[in-house]
């Protein structure tokens, strides 16, 4: 068990308190004072020293001392220092909150630019990070607040945080333990099927919502279907027989129509017409056969000649592109060679300039500092050293020029060699291009020759239509076509009458089929109503099953909460905890509310009961975390008797007669402390 005791707490210019030293030496104490004298300020200072927050868990609270008009008093160091005994080892923590004044360049007066906080541990300055780490090594912030204020657990923590902390103290109860304690929950594992209670509750809620929506829609759908059903019924079997009779009549009329259209005289003349047309085509094909064959041969020759021309043209284009690229490369090489020659000329000038350079030296016979004449050997040594440096630098420059000249000469040699190669390539390319152009000229002449022959052959084809035989056959064809047209006109009148009868029968069949379709829709609607009614029953049954599962889950929660409540309450002497609320519909809501003798902490307890319940909670938390820390009890005048606690207790008591803070430590004489 780690034990933390407050030995002394010192305040300087903190929240209006100019100077205050509270010597506790680890003992229980009472701090008396009238309202606004500074009792709560001592607790604020204590927490700010450790965690940068006041007793209301706020960071942005006013630390600075104010003037009478409410303005801030400047140039003060707001200091809190506390000495603690941690498991018998003393440690002193100190923080100073002060203004930062900065004098900008060109200004005579410093300006206020913000605040800084200085941190000390045992008088050793530290960064905020190291200071915080030191405090955390003593105790965690949240744990310390829980252990130092009897109201923090009940008034600062959210109910979810309180519930979580209580479960950490007493340990959670497994689902298996809960189910084993109540035989009515035996089926729950099978219903959950591996899912958590929360997930199953969400699933059930979603399903019930969906079922309710469907159950609301089904009566509306049934009513809509009933409204659409016609009041009269039809004899569907009689209508089907009528449709069969109509279709038989239509089929008979279609056959009659074909017989009229395909009369025997028309068929004979159509066969004669086909024979004559075939005879005409055969005469034309035979008459033109030789000429057509010659034309086909010439067309093949023309296509071959055109292909040769295109191939040679493509070859010429390729060779011209190659020639152009060589000409461009040759021009670039010539420019490069000229540029290199220009560079070589400049290098020769540079070499001559460096080579002709003469050593110049001004003998300095006196010391530049004391102006005394230097020894002759020292002057000579300086001159020789300068000459050596001159010669070395001259040789280096000449060598650099030579190296660059060699490199450029080699580069020129490569460029000239490549220039000769490209020049030869260009000569060959021109020769090949001329040869290919000659080939193109020959191929074009060949193409023109065959094109002329083809044109002559096409104009010399004999005209079959001028022969007597062709004219005779064509006259017979025209006579037969006229006779067939006349016969078809008489058949069209008969066919039109048949089509009119067929249209009437099709309309009657359509009306009958509409009646049959309407009957089918009525039957389908009736079947749909039956389906919806069955669905309504199934959904109601499914909803009932979900309600049963919901009841089991709520019974499980109720059982677990009762077990948890008993286990948690057994850890406390006075405090009791309500962990769930029963809703109007019988469901359970998880909560965490502290009670004392059945009275809720937030609505019915007086201050004395709240403080003692808080102290009871601190006793349990202290044992759980293994830490004993000083407890600050504000408004302690409300309590006539505190419950027993095993740690240092500092009571802040309102006393109208005490216009200055008065500290009474057990076993010590009362002390008056200046607080304003």
């Amino acid at each position: 068990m780690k034990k933390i005791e407050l030995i002394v707490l010192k305040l300087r210019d903190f929240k209006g308190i100019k100077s205050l030293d509270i010597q506790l030496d680890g003992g229980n104490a009472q701090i008396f004072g009238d309202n606004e004298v500074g009792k709560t300020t001592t607790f604020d200072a204590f927490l700010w020293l450790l965690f940068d927050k006041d007793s209301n868990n706020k960071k942005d609270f006013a630390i600075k001392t104010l003037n009478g008009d409410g303005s801030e008093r400047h140039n003060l160091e707001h200091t809190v220092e506390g000495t603690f005994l941690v498991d018998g080892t003393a440690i002193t923590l100190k923080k100073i909150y002060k203004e930062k004044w900065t004098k900008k360049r060109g200004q005579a007066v410093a300006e206020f630019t913000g605040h800084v906080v200085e941190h000390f541990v045992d008088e050793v300055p530290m960064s905020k990070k190291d200071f915080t780490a030191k405090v955390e090594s003593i105790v965690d912030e949240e744990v310390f607040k829980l252990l130092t204020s009897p109201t923090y657990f009940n008034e600062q923590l959210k109910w979810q945080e309180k519930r979580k902390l209580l479960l950490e103290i007493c340990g959670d109860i497994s689902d298996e333990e809960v189910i084993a304690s109540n035989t009515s929950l035996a089926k729950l594992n099978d219903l959950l099927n591996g899912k958590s209670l929360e997930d199953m509750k969400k699933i059930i809620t979603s399903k019930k919502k969906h079922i309710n929506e469907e159950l609301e829609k089904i009566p509306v759908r049934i009513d809509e279907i009933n409204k659409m059903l016609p009041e009269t019924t039809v004899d569907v079997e009689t209508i089907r027989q009528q449709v069969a009779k109509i279709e038989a009549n239509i089929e008979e009329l279609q056959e009659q129509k074909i017989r009229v259209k395909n009369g025997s005289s028309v068929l004979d003349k159509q066969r004669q017409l086909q024979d004559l047309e075939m005879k005409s085509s055969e005469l034309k094909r035979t008459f033109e056969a030789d000429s057509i064959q010659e034309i086909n041969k010439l067309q093949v020759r023309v296509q071959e000649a055109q292909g040769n021309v295109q191939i040679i043209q493509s070859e010429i284009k390729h060779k011209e592109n190659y020639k152009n690229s060589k000409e461009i490369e040759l021009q670039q090489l010539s420019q490069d060679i000229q540029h290199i020659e220009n560079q070589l000329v400049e290098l020769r000038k540079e070499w001559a300039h460096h080579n002709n350079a003469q050593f110049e030296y001004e003998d300095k016979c006196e010391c530049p500092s004391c102006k005394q004449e230097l020894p002759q050997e020292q002057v000579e040594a300086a001159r020789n050293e300068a000459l050596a440096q001159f010669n070395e630098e001259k040789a280096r420059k000449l060598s650099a020029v030579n190296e660059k000249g060699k490199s450029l000469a080699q580069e020129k040699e490569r460029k000239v060699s490549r220039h000769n190669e490209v020049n030869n390539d260009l000569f060959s390319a021109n020769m090949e291009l001329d040869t290919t152009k000659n080939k193109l000229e020959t191929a074009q002449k060949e193409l023109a020759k065959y094109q002329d022959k083809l044109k002559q052959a096409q104009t010399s084809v004999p005209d079959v239509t001028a022969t007597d035989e062709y004219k005779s056959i064509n006259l017979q064809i025209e006579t037969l076509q006229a006779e067939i047209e006349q016969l078809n006109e008489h058949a069209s009148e008969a066919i039109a009458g048949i089509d009119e009868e067929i249209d009437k029968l099709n309309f009657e069949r359509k009306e009958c089929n509409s009646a049959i379709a309407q009957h089918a829709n009525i039957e389908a609607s009736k079947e749909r109503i039956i389906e919806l009614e069955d669905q309504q029953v199934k959904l109601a049954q499914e909803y009932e099953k979900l309600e049963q599962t919901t009841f089991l889950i709520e019974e499980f929660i109720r059982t677990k909460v009762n077990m948890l409540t008993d286990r948690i309450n057994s850890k406390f002497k006075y405090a009791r905890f309500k962990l769930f609320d029963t809703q109007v519909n019988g469901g359970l809501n998880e909560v965490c509310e502290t009670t004392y003798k059945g009275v809720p902490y937030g609505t019915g307890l007086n201050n004395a009961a709240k403080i003692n319940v808080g102290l009871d909670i601190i006793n349990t938390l202290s044992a759980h975390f293994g830490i004993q820390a000083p407890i600050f009890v504000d408004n302690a005048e409300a309590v006539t008797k505190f419950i027993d606690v095993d740690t240092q207790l500092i009571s802040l008591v309102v006393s109208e007669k005490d216009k200055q803070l008065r500290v009474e430590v057990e076993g010590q004489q009362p002390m008056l402390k200046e607080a304003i």
Side-chain angles (χ1 to χ4, degrees):
M1 175 75 73
K2 178 184 282 188
K3 188 170 185 179
I4 303 171
E5 299 172 284
L6 180 60
I7 304 303
V8 62
L9 184 66
K10 299 179 180 180
L11 283 68
R12 298 292 184 271
D13 292 309
F14 186 84
K15 288 187 66 177
I17 294 180
K18 182 171 182 58
S19 178
L20 175 64
D21 291 354
I22 303 176
Q23 189 72 36
L24 300 172
D25 296 327
N28 295 338
Q30 290 180 302
I31 301 177
F32 297 91
D34 197 1
N35 290 327
E36 300 183 1
V37 169
K39 301 182 301 303
T40 305
T41 299
T42 60
F43 191 23
D44 291 339
F46 176 74
L47 291 174
W48 178 77
L49 172 64
L50 297 171
F51 307 117
D52 289 334
K53 297 177 183 177
D54 67 2
S55 55
N56 290 317
N57 205 32
K58 294 181 179 179
K59 270 197 170 187
D60 54 345
F61 68 100
I63 292 176
K64 300 175 72 173
T65 300
L66 303 179
N67 294 312
D69 60 357
S71 61
E72 294 180 351
R73 189 176 299 174
H74 295 294
N75 298 308
L76 295 178
E77 292 189 353
H78 312 283
T79 305
V80 177
E81 179 181 327
T83 299
F84 301 85
L85 205 61
V86 181
D87 286 340
T89 301
I91 181 172
T92 299
L93 305 176
K94 182 167 73 171
K95 283 166 65 173
I96 301 174
Y97 180 84
K98 62 183 182 179
E99 297 174 341
K100 182 179 180 182
W101 293 80
T102 305
K103 184 183 292 185
K104 296 181 180 179
R105 181 178 296 176
Q107 291 183 351
V109 180
E111 292 182 356
F112 171 67
T113 55
H115 298 89
V116 294
V117 180
E118 296 178 351
H119 303 78
F120 302 86
V121 177
D122 293 330
E123 298 301 325
V124 178
M126 285 193 174
S127 66
K128 179 179 180 180
K129 180 180 179 181
D130 292 340
F131 183 88
T132 302
K134 184 65 178 178
V135 173
E136 287 178 352
S137 70
I138 299 172
V139 66
D140 176 76
E141 178 180 349
E142 286 302 314
V143 172
F144 196 77
K145 291 174 183 177
L146 285 166
L147 300 181
T148 56
S149 171
T151 61
Y152 188 82
F153 177 88
N154 289 306
E155 297 179 13
Q156 296 291 338
L157 294 185
K158 297 178 181 179
W159 72 266
Q160 295 91 338
E161 295 171 337
K162 291 189 282 188
R163 186 184 182 89
K164 180 181 178 182
L165 182 56
L166 291 174
L167 290 176
E168 287 179 8
I169 294 172
C170 73
D172 203 353
I173 298 174
S174 68
D175 294 349
E176 290 75 14
E177 291 179 84
V178 178
I179 293 173
S181 70
N182 189 339
T183 55
S184 64
L185 300 174
K187 295 181 180 179
L188 189 58
N189 274 332
D190 294 335
L191 293 172
L192 292 175
N193 193 23
K195 297 181 178 66
S196 68
L197 285 172
E198 287 303 315
D199 287 344
M200 182 54 72
K201 285 165 68 176
K202 292 176 183 177
I203 291 171
I204 290 173
T205 301
S206 176
K207 286 184 175 180
K208 285 168 69 174
K209 180 182 177 183
H210 175 70
I211 290 172
N212 277 327
E213 290 173 352
E214 290 299 313
L215 287 173
E216 290 175 0
K217 293 176 183 176
I218 287 174
V220 178
R221 292 173 181 168
I222 292 174
D223 184 58
E224 289 175 351
I225 294 171
N226 281 324
K227 288 178 179 178
M228 293 172 63
L229 292 176
E231 297 179 359
T232 59
T233 58
V234 295
D235 186 353
V236 70
E237 190 58 37
T238 300
I239 294 176
R240 287 197 179 102
Q241 292 174 3
Q242 187 177 350
V243 169
K245 184 177 179 181
I246 290 171
E247 289 177 344
N249 291 337
I250 290 173
E251 187 176 351
E252 173 61 28
L253 288 170
Q254 293 285 8
E255 291 177 357
Q256 183 180 345
K257 180 179 175 181
I258 293 171
R259 286 195 298 271
V260 172
K261 184 180 290 185
N262 297 332
S264 57
S265 57
V266 174
L267 290 174
D268 290 342
K269 292 185 182 297
Q270 286 177 338
R271 281 193 292 269
Q272 293 175 27
L273 180 61
Q274 290 174 356
D275 291 341
L276 287 170
E277 288 174 342
M278 289 177 61
K279 189 175 179 180
S280 174
S281 297
E282 183 64 26
L283 176 63
K284 184 177 181 181
R285 186 166 51 254
T286 303
F287 194 78
E288 298 176 350
D290 293 339
S291 299
I292 296 301
Q293 186 175 4
E294 180 64 20
I295 289 172
N296 290 338
K297 290 180 181 179
L298 290 171
Q299 284 177 337
V300 171
R301 289 299 184 91
V302 168
Q303 289 174 353
E304 290 176 353
Q306 287 174 336
N308 288 334
V309 169
Q310 290 174 352
I311 291 171
I312 296 171
Q313 287 174 337
S314 176
E315 188 177 350
I316 289 173
K317 186 175 181 180
H318 175 72
K319 291 183 182 298
E320 286 178 342
N321 289 338
Y322 178 76
K323 172 192 170 186
N324 292 336
S325 68
K326 291 299 177 182
E327 288 175 345
I328 293 171
E329 185 178 1
L330 193 66
Q331 183 180 1
Q332 183 62 47
L333 286 167
S334 298
Q335 292 175 355
D336 292 346
I337 292 169
Q338 184 60 48
H339 180 65
I340 292 172
E341 288 177 348
N342 294 339
Q343 287 181 297
L344 287 171
V345 170
E346 292 301 320
L347 279 176
R348 293 187 190 100
K349 293 179 180 178
E350 185 179 352
W351 190 90
H353 170 74
H354 293 314
N355 189 54
N356 295 330
Q358 298 296 320
F359 175 69
E360 295 179 0
Y361 182 76
E362 180 182 352
D363 291 339
K364 297 179 180 179
C365 299
E366 63 177 26
C367 176
S369 299
C370 62
K371 304 301 181 179
Q372 292 184 0
E373 186 174 348
L374 295 172
Q376 184 61 36
E377 62 272 13
Q378 189 173 348
V379 172
E380 186 66 25
R383 187 181 187 284
N384 290 337
E385 182 180 354
L387 178 61
Q389 289 178 351
F390 171 79
N391 290 333
E392 182 181 349
E393 178 65 15
K394 180 178 180 179
R396 185 189 65 75
K397 291 179 179 179
L398 290 173
S399 175
V401 172
N402 283 334
E403 288 299 320
K404 189 172 181 181
K406 289 178 183 179
S407 176
L408 286 173
Q410 292 172 356
E411 179 67 16
K412 178 184 176 182
E413 185 178 350
R414 287 194 296 272
K415 295 286 185 179
V416 169
S417 175
R418 179 59 185 164
H419 185 279
N420 294 334
E421 291 176 4
V422 173
N423 201 29
N424 291 334
D425 291 343
L426 182 59
F427 178 78
S428 299
N430 283 323
M431 295 293 292
E432 291 179 5
L433 183 59
D434 291 340
T435 302
T436 307
K437 287 181 177 179
N438 291 334
K439 285 171 60 179
L440 175 62
E441 186 177 352
T442 302
Q444 287 174 333
K445 289 178 180 179
E446 185 77 6
L447 173 61
K449 181 181 74 173
Y450 284 116
Q451 285 175 335
D452 290 342
K453 287 184 178 181
L454 176 61
K455 188 175 182 181
Q456 291 174 6
Q458 288 172 336
T459 57
S460 62
V461 175
D463 185 9
V464 70
T465 60
T467 63
D468 292 338
E469 185 178 2
Y470 183 84
K471 291 177 180 178
S472 175
I473 293 172
N474 198 48
L475 181 60
Q476 294 177 56
I477 289 172
E478 291 175 354
T479 302
L480 281 172
Q481 287 175 339
E483 291 174 355
I484 291 170
E485 185 177 354
Q486 188 176 9
L487 290 172
N488 283 334
E489 286 179 1
H490 294 299
S492 297
E493 294 177 1
I495 290 171
I498 295 171
D499 285 339
E500 187 176 351
E501 290 296 323
I502 290 173
D503 289 341
K504 290 180 181 178
L505 290 173
N506 279 331
F507 180 77
E508 292 179 14
R509 181 173 61 179
K510 183 178 179 181
E511 291 292 317
C512 292
N513 285 334
S514 296
I516 293 171
Q518 184 180 19
H519 175 75
N521 288 336
I522 292 171
E523 293 301 313
S525 297
K526 291 179 179 178
E527 290 178 3
R528 179 58 180 155
I529 290 174
I530 295 172
E531 289 176 2
L532 288 171
E533 290 173 344
D534 290 342
Q535 183 183 358
Q536 193 174 30
V537 173
K538 290 177 182 177
L539 287 173
Q541 293 171 347
E542 185 178 351
Y543 191 88
E544 181 63 27
K545 290 180 181 178
L546 293 173
E547 285 285 271
Q548 293 172 3
T549 305
T550 301
F551 174 79
L552 281 178
I553 291 174
E554 290 177 349
E555 181 64 21
F556 173 89
I557 295 172
R558 188 179 292 105
T559 303
K560 183 173 183 178
V561 167
N562 288 334
M563 294 172 69
L564 278 173
T565 302
D566 293 341
R567 181 179 292 186
I568 289 170
N569 288 337
S570 68
K571 298 285 184 179
F572 298 87
K573 189 173 181 180
Y574 301 101
R576 294 294 179 265
F577 299 94
K578 180 181 179 182
L579 299 179
F580 71 95
D581 266 339
T582 303
Q583 296 175 303
V584 176
N585 60 3
L588 294 175
N589 243 358
E590 291 186 352
V591 297
C592 184
E593 185 176 11
T594 306
T595 66
Y596 174 64
K597 294 182 179 181
V599 180
Y601 181 94
T603 58
L605 286 187
N606 57 35
N607 285 340
K610 287 182 178 180
I611 291 171
N612 275 325
V613 165
L615 293 174
D616 182 37
I617 292 172
I618 288 177
N619 280 338
T620 301
L621 293 176
S622 181
H624 172 69
F625 291 113
I627 298 173
Q628 290 182 345
I631 302 173
F632 279 77
V633 181
D634 205 356
N635 298 315
E637 70 281 354
V639 185
T640 57
K641 181 175 175 53
F642 293 110
I643 67 168
D644 293 335
V645 293
D646 298 326
T647 186
Q648 185 180 15
L649 188 66
I650 302 169
S651 304
L652 307 177
V653 182
V654 174
S655 173
E656 186 178 355
K657 67 180 182 178
D658 290 296
K659 303 305 179 182
Q660 293 181 344
L661 291 184
R662 176 169 54 89
V663 181
E664 292 186 5
V665 182
E666 288 184 0
Q668 297 181 7
Q669 291 295 322
M671 298 175 290
L672 286 176
K673 299 292 181 179
E674 183 183 356
I676 299 297

